[in-house]
Amino acid sequence: MASRETRERLAALLDPATTVLLTVECQQGVVGPDSALPELAGAARSSGVLGNIARLVAAAHESGVQVMHAIAESRPDGRGANRNARLFHAAARLPVQQHTGTTAVRVAPPIQVADEDLVVRRLHGLSPLAGTDVDALLRNLGCRTLVVTGVSANVAVPNAVFDAVNLGYTAVVPADAIAGVPAEYTPAMVRNTLALVATIAATDEILGCWKAPRRPGGGAMPA
């Protein structure tokens, strides 16, 4: 169990007034039953990651934390999409395409999208932040801490964390709310890379911070 000092430090970081919860590529064509990437979708579901993301989103809605969903999509004609890496060529050959306006680019159940959520879509690149509206939106929201969840721990999630840190945000990663393939790669990525640049927490620790009564001026009351 984390020490009281650690819990208080995490609670201060996760002040709802200055925190945004980001879901990365939690869309039906990626983590849904008809995913273009069934191994990744299976890892996200069987591990409980998708359920944990849904719990975090629900708690964020209840506690006033802004939620943002980052969606990767493409035009049917492919205009504007990258072609400068093997990953993009492989994605273009998948049986399920993340085409704008299709079911594939809708946020996947059991994650619930509220009216106040922001949905940011990109047609290019590997990161939810680079070259998108996300940074400007975060600054306008007064964000200081970005909680990064979703897929994949191989590419998009570390990209999001690195870009957030480079832009001056404090990144928090719930280790049980991100997934990659193979399954054993995710804890290795967390331990050897993400832990060097982000605060690593568990979903339940974050939920505890958001559900705890707040001190005047911010921070959760000690348990």
Side-chain angles (χ1 to χ4, degrees), residues 28-219:
Q28 294 195 38
V30 176
V31 295
D34 298 319
S35 169
L37 303 164
E39 184 181 2
L40 178 59
R45 290 181 174 274
S46 65
S47 65
V49 161
L50 203 58
N52 284 337
I53 296 170
R55 294 168 63 211
L56 287 165
V57 168
H61 291 156
E62 292 174 3
S63 59
V65 173
Q66 178 67 54
V67 178
M68 185 180 296
H69 305 281
I71 302 295
E73 58 184 44
S74 64
R75 290 169 50 114
D77 61 11
R79 289 182 182 270
N82 288 67
R83 295 177 176 83
N84 57 338
R86 290 173 56 197
L87 177 64
F88 302 120
H89 292 286
R93 295 192 298 268
L94 291 172
V96 177
Q97 292 294 303
Q98 315 298 319
H99 286 164
T100 301
T102 66
T103 301
V105 296
R106 295 177 186 169
V107 175
I111 300 168
Q112 297 294 316
V113 181
D115 289 342
E116 63 268 23
D117 292 1
L118 295 172
V119 180
V120 180
R121 303 177 183 277
R122 76 177 196 276
L123 293 172
H124 62 86
L126 301 171
S127 170
L129 276 74
T132 72
D133 293 335
V134 170
D135 180 37
L137 293 172
L138 293 177
R139 294 188 188 282
N140 289 345
L141 290 164
C143 176
R144 295 179 183 174
T145 300
L146 186 65
V147 181
V148 180
T149 68
V151 297
S152 72
N154 305 74
V155 179
V157 167
N159 263 264
V161 172
F162 295 151
D163 286 346
V165 172
N166 286 332
L167 290 167
Y169 302 102
T170 296
V172 174
V173 177
D176 54 355
I178 64 170
V181 290
E184 60 270 19
Y185 179 78
T186 301
M189 166 59 79
V190 170
R191 183 174 59 253
N192 297 307
T193 302
L194 297 183
L196 302 178
V197 294
T199 295
I200 307 301
T203 292
D204 284 342
E205 291 175 315
I206 295 174
L207 295 178
C209 292
W210 286 343
K211 292 178 179 179
R214 312 296 296 181
R215 285 195 186 97

